[in-house]
Amino acid sequence: MRTTLSRLALAAAALVAAAPALSACLTDAQVAALADAYYDKRPAPNPEGLSAADGECSRAKLLALFDLNLRERAGYKAGLTNPAVQKRFNADAPVWGVLYASMLLPDGSAVDARFGARPLYEADLLVRVKDAAVNGAKTPADVIAAIDQVIPFIELPDLVVEAPPRLNGAAITAINVGARLGVTGRPIAVPVTRGERYQLLDALGKMTVIVKADGAEVDRGKGSDVLEHPLNAVVWLAQDLKRHGLALKPGDVVSLGSFSRLLPPKAGQKVEVEYWGLPEPRTVSVSFR
C-alpha cells in the first residue's frame, strides 16, 4: 500500500519539484525506493552525482511521498549549519529539510537504539515561530522578536544510505537532511520585554552545550558554533525558503543545527544535553533501548 501511494504521489511531486531545465532529479523509481528504505529502516543506495538543484528537486519528490504517510508537517530542519559538520560532508553551505509532527517526542522518551537505518544523535535546539515577520529577518535580533519559544532538542537523525561518508550537501538535501526523530525539552518562553529578549539573545550566542552519555561528558559545543549565532540559521532558512516560494508560519518549529558531533546510540544508554549560560537552565534527555 505504501509503495503504491508513493508512486501515485510522484505525478503531483513533479509539479512541486519544478527545477531548472537541466536539473536531473533522482528518478521516480529511485525516490520511491529511498522512501521505502526509510520506512523499513534499511540502508538505501547513495544518491550520487547530484547538483544542488538535483538535490532540491529530489527532496521535493521525497517530501510528496512523506506527506502521504507522515502527514502533518511541524516545521523545518536547518542542516550543515556548523562548519565542522560541513567539513565532514564536503559542503560549503547549509541545507534544509522538513520536520513532521510525528518525529517530535517528549523529554525522557525511550527510543530503540536502532531507530533508523543509520541512526545517530546530536545536541540541537528548536525555536517556534510566533510571527510571519520572521520571513524578513536579517539578523538574530529580528528573529528573536518573531519567535515565542526556545526548545532544548536532541535530534535523532538517520543518514539512511549505504555509505554515509560519501554523502555531500546535495545528497543530504535529497534525503531530507536525515530527519527521523528528536526529543524536545521544556521550552523557554521568549520574554516580552525588549531588555530580557536581548539578554536571551546574547546568552544563545554565548551558551555552552554539554552532551553526556550515562553521566559522562562525550562532547560539547557553544552557541556560536552554528553560523556564529544559532538564530542566523533561521535567517538563512527564511531566505532559502523564499527562493522556493515557501515561508515560515506561526507555529512552525525550526531545528537550528548541530552543537555537537554526530554520535552513534547504544542500547542501554541514557543521553542528556545541558545548556549552560541561558537565563533558565535546561536539560533534555533520551534513553536508548
Side-chain angles (χ1 to χ4, degrees):
M1 177 65 171
R2 218 170 40 209
T3 301
T4 301
L5 289 173
S6 294
R7 296 185 188 284
L8 286 174
L10 288 174
L15 297 175
V16 177
L22 297 179
S23 178
C25 287
L26 294 178
T27 67
D28 291 359
Q30 287 173 316
V31 173
L34 175 59
D36 286 340
Y38 176 91
Y39 298 134
D40 294 339
K41 301 179 184 178
R42 55 180 170 78
N46 277 62
E48 301 280 6
L50 302 181
S51 69
D54 298 338
E56 292 168 354
C57 178
S58 302
R59 174 187 61 202
K61 286 186 176 184
L62 183 64
L63 290 175
L65 307 187
F66 282 176
D67 285 345
L68 289 175
N69 293 291
L70 303 179
R71 299 188 182 277
E72 183 186 353
R73 295 190 180 194
Y76 295 89
K77 171 185 176 179
L80 304 184
T81 54
N82 185 318
V85 180
Q86 286 184 6
K87 184 177 180 180
R88 172 176 173 176
F89 291 107
N90 193 30
D92 59 6
V95 295
W96 61 263
V98 167
L99 295 174
Y100 289 83
S102 58
M103 295 177 172
L104 304 179
L105 307 175
D107 191 8
S109 289
V111 177
D112 288 342
R114 186 76 161 73
F115 60 78
R118 295 285 188 256
L120 297 162
Y121 69 87
E122 64 181 6
D124 200 333
L125 201 64
L126 297 175
V127 297
R128 191 175 73 176
V129 175
K130 174 185 70 174
D131 190 327
V134 74
N135 292 292
K138 304 293 188 212
T139 67
D142 295 335
V143 173
I144 205 160
I147 61 175
D148 61 4
Q149 288 185 354
V150 174
I151 307 167
F153 188 50
I154 300 175
E155 199 200 345
L156 306 176
D158 179 7
L159 296 184
V160 82
V161 297
E162 293 169 352
R166 293 212 309 267
L167 288 168
N168 60 15
I172 289 173
T173 296
I175 65 170
N176 194 35
V177 199
R180 171 70 78 172
L181 295 170
V183 176
T184 60
R186 185 162 58 94
I188 297 173
V190 174
V192 174
T193 65
R194 182 183 177 90
E196 289 178 314
R197 278 204 311 272
Y198 274 84
Q199 181 185 4
L200 177 58
L201 179 69
D202 184 61
L204 286 168
K206 295 177 178 177
M207 68 179 176
T208 299
V209 182
I210 310 293
V211 184
K212 294 181 177 180
D214 295 327
E217 182 177 328
V218 292
D219 201 17
R220 68 168 55 201
K222 53 187 185 296
S224 57
D225 288 339
V226 170
L227 298 178
E228 299 183 353
H229 190 288
L231 296 188
N232 277 325
V234 182
V235 175
W236 173 85
L237 176 65
Q239 292 173 351
D240 206 65
L241 289 176
K242 188 180 299 184
R243 185 168 61 87
H244 293 273
L246 301 170
L248 293 165
K249 63 184 186 301
D252 280 347
V253 294
V254 177
S255 163
L256 304 181
S258 305
F259 298 99
S260 70
R261 291 177 292 128
L262 292 161
L263 298 163
K266 298 176 183 177
Q269 185 180 57
K270 181 178 180 179
V271 170
E272 297 172 293
V273 174
E274 300 174 353
Y275 301 80
W276 292 6
L278 296 181
E280 299 179 35
R282 286 292 187 272
T283 300
V284 60
S285 69
V286 62
S287 296
F288 298 110
R289 58 189 176 221

